[in-house]
Amino acid sequence: MHSLTIGPFTKANGDIQIPGSKSLSNRILLLATLAKGTTKITNLLDSDDIKRMLESLTKLGVNYQLEDQGTTCVIEGLGGPIQADHGDLFLGNAGTAMRPLTAALCLGQGEYYLHGEPRMHERPIGDLVDALSSLGVNICYEGETNYPPLRIKSNGLSGGEVSIKGNISSQFLTAILMSAPMAQGDLTIKVEGELVSKPYIDITLHTMKQFGVEVDNQDYQAFVVKGQQTYQSPGEIMVEGDASSASYFLAAAAIAGGKIKVHGVGSDSVQGDVKFADVLAQMGAKITYGPTWIEAERGQLNGVDLDMNHIPDAAMTIATTALFAQGPTTIRNIYNWRVKETDRLYAMATELKKLGVDVIEGEDFIKVTPATTLQHAAIDTYNDHRIAMCFSLVAFSNTAVTINDPGCTSKTFPTYFDLFNSVVR
Ligand SMILES: O=C(O)C1=C[C@@H](OP(=O)(O)O)[C@@H](O)[C@H](O)C1
Ligand SMILES: C=C(OP(=O)(O)O)C(=O)O
């Protein structure tokens, strides 16, 4: 297996243009497909998760053209449900393709088989399947109950009322919300229990609005959507930079001497992960926001004890930033790290311990107590892009770090290590 050894570095300096947001890219691709009119999408992310969505759209007969090395996409909207009467779709490990497509394919008439990488078949989808079944869809598990692969025999989504559990993934609610306007009648979606990763619902509602659909959000406990609507293409739409991808560079500057300005994401962003910069500021970094940029500079970092349910992806960056703080850091309310690309609570704890630091892995929290010197380690990345990226920060310690399978960043950030190397010394 390929591995990459980096560091030790003492400086991180420069300007970084952050590639497009994964969450926005896949939402916009789907809504542009369903919308009336042609949409030109710019700054689209070019990464594995987006490729899986685009390949699926191709198989479903959607017409689009890619330009600018895959960062511009012109899509001919269908002005209604997907028309293909069948499809065998491989969604890799892309939650933002698997979950929304499962709901969207229920809108028309056809038979579809949805599957992915082995890990995708271990990531739960039962809450979404239950909700869709209660709206009249014939959807069944082709492997283990509650997990993909799925077979869908669709004949439209009825309106009415549906309940969906919110405690495992917000992507289930996102999936139903994006399909709801094309249901046969008005739909009230009730959220059962806690809703995790709430800011991603704001991304969903914001994108739906850009495509002409308003949702009545009743305090994130119920959502009322009018049925029989058609999404309208906004014509041209630009994808913001990915706030989770920005976190690694902001953290690098906060830890090392130097200053980094990330462009493409800032105080105007709709992505909850921009709040990562507030956590860095709370730890002691110097953070400045502009509407479309964020700048970070080193400060004396102190450990924090915080609920990070609202920034589950960027919270992984805090776990390795914690190595450079005074005192322990506890990241709380992150149970669903366990059902993402890997069991992230187990994986982060296991790899952090290899550096010689004291780590407590709780059922839904992690506590990292930094050590004065770190041991050199070869970090296993579990086919999880974020483990590879957040452990690159270890290169600012007394030792180099080896990242096994660095190519796994291709899920959301294929150029990560090139950009990282361009700003460090
Ligand atoms: O809706 C989205 O775009 C996402 C929601 C989050 O997942 P959960 O809602 O499963 O926490 C996040 O971790 C994922 O990377 C992207
Ligand atoms: C959890 C993630 O991905 P997915 O969209 O597949 O859920 C992630 O990117 O950290």
Side-chain angles (χ1 to χ4, degrees):
M1 190 202 355
H2 178 56
S3 65
L4 181 70
T5 298
I6 49 174
F9 301 123
T10 52
K11 290 266 185 300
N13 248 313
D15 285 63
I16 293 276
Q17 188 68 44
I18 299 293
S21 148
K22 168 198 75 170
S23 295
L24 283 162
S25 292
N26 272 348
R27 281 168 173 76
I28 291 172
L29 283 171
L30 183 59
L31 295 192
T33 293
L34 301 174
K36 184 160 188 278
T38 300
T39 305
K40 180 175 183 178
I41 308 167
T42 59
N43 200 37
L44 187 73
L45 176 62
D46 177 25
S47 81
D48 291 352
D49 278 9
I50 311 311
K51 288 193 173 94
R52 298 298 89 80
M53 175 65 98
L54 285 167
E55 287 158 6
S56 299
L57 296 180
T58 301
K59 284 198 174 166
L60 294 167
V62 178
N63 289 321
Y64 63 84
Q65 273 177 351
L66 288 173
E67 296 158 17
D68 304 325
Q69 285 92 42
T71 61
T72 298
C73 182
V74 181
I75 298 205
E76 280 174 41
L78 300 169
I82 285 162
Q83 304 291 335
D85 60 7
H86 66 280
D88 176 330
L89 309 181
F90 175 74
L91 287 321
N93 197 6
T96 55
M98 183 70 165
R99 280 77 181 259
L101 273 171
T102 295
L105 287 168
C106 296
L107 294 167
Q109 289 196 333
E111 187 171 333
Y112 312 99
Y113 178 64
L114 281 74
H115 58 119
E117 288 175 13
R119 177 60 184 171
M120 180 57 96
H121 298 175
E122 296 173 353
R123 297 182 66 187
I125 196 161
D127 297 337
L128 176 59
V129 169
D130 289 348
L132 293 168
S133 301
S134 81
L135 291 171
V137 182
N138 178 343
I139 174 165
C140 59
Y141 303 106
E142 291 279 297
E144 218 182 304
T145 303
N146 290 330
Y147 299 88
L150 300 177
R151 188 166 301 279
I152 303 173
K153 290 181 188 156
S154 56
N155 194 14
L157 267 191
S158 67
E161 194 174 296
V162 66
S163 287
I164 185 132
K165 289 198 186 118
N167 64 328
I168 292 294
S169 172
S170 69
Q171 292 178 6
F172 306 147
L173 173 58
T174 280
I176 302 251
L177 277 168
M178 291 204 289
S179 290
M182 298 169 75
Q184 288 146 357
D186 300 353
L187 192 60
T188 299
I189 308 163
K190 292 200 160 154
V191 180
E192 259 180 65
E194 187 200 358
L195 174 59
V196 296
S197 307
K198 213 191 242 178
Y200 288 94
I201 298 306
D202 295 329
I203 301 182
T204 302
L205 299 179
H206 173 87
T207 314
M208 289 171 70
K209 198 168 174 187
Q210 288 178 301
F211 282 85
V213 168
E214 298 264 3
V215 173
D216 175 13
N217 172 1
Q218 300 177 351
D219 201 20
Y220 300 89
Q221 291 183 343
F223 298 84
V224 183
V225 189
K226 275 193 89 50
Q228 298 200 16
Q229 298 191 69
T230 307
Y231 283 112
Q232 302 295 329
S233 165
E236 192 164 329
I237 186 164
M238 194 185 89
V239 178
E240 288 179 10
D242 192 299
S244 321
S245 297
S247 71
Y248 312 105
F249 296 99
L250 296 172
I255 294 165
K259 212 190 238 187
I260 288 195
K261 190 170 185 178
V262 296
H263 298 264
V265 63
S267 55
D268 280 357
S269 172
V270 295
Q271 297 167 75
D273 266 7
V274 288
K275 292 270 177 350
F276 167 83
D278 292 351
V279 178
L280 273 188
Q282 205 172 330
M283 291 178 86
K286 294 182 194 121
I287 301 289
T288 320
Y289 282 98
T292 61
W293 53 266
I294 308 174
E295 191 170 69
E297 204 179 337
R298 189 163 99 131
Q300 168 57 53
L301 300 182
N302 295 304
V304 288
D305 182 337
L306 291 173
D307 182 329
M308 296 199 202
N309 190 277
H310 61 301
I311 54 165
D313 295 355
M316 291 172 74
T317 316
I318 295 294
T320 49
T321 304
L323 298 169
F324 301 89
Q326 289 283 337
T329 288
T330 307
I331 303 172
R332 296 191 187 275
N333 200 8
I334 47 163
Y335 171 79
N336 82 350
W337 270 21
R338 295 196 184 276
V339 293
K340 300 199 184 238
E341 279 74 340
T342 184
D343 177 341
R344 287 177 165 171
L345 267 159
Y346 167 80
M348 290 297 290
T350 305
E351 300 311 306
L352 283 164
K353 282 177 193 164
K354 285 185 183 170
L355 301 168
V357 296
D358 187 31
V359 183
I360 299 174
E361 175 197 342
E363 185 61 6
D364 68 348
F365 72 88
I366 190 166
K367 180 174 179 184
V368 182
T369 304
T372 31
T373 57
L374 299 182
Q375 292 163 17
H376 176 262
I379 301 300
D380 288 318
T381 48
Y382 305 72
N383 205 18
D384 184 341
H385 54 140
R386 296 201 194 285
I387 295 185
M389 295 190 281
C390 73
F391 273 90
S392 66
L393 299 175
V394 175
F396 296 111
S397 72
N398 56 289
T399 172
V401 62
T402 300
I403 308 286
N404 289 332
D405 189 24
C408 69
T409 67
S410 63
K411 186 176 193 281
T412 57
F413 204 163
T415 56
Y416 177 71
F417 281 103
D418 293 338
L419 285 177
F420 182 79
N421 281 323
S422 75
V423 290
V424 296
R425 262 182 305 132

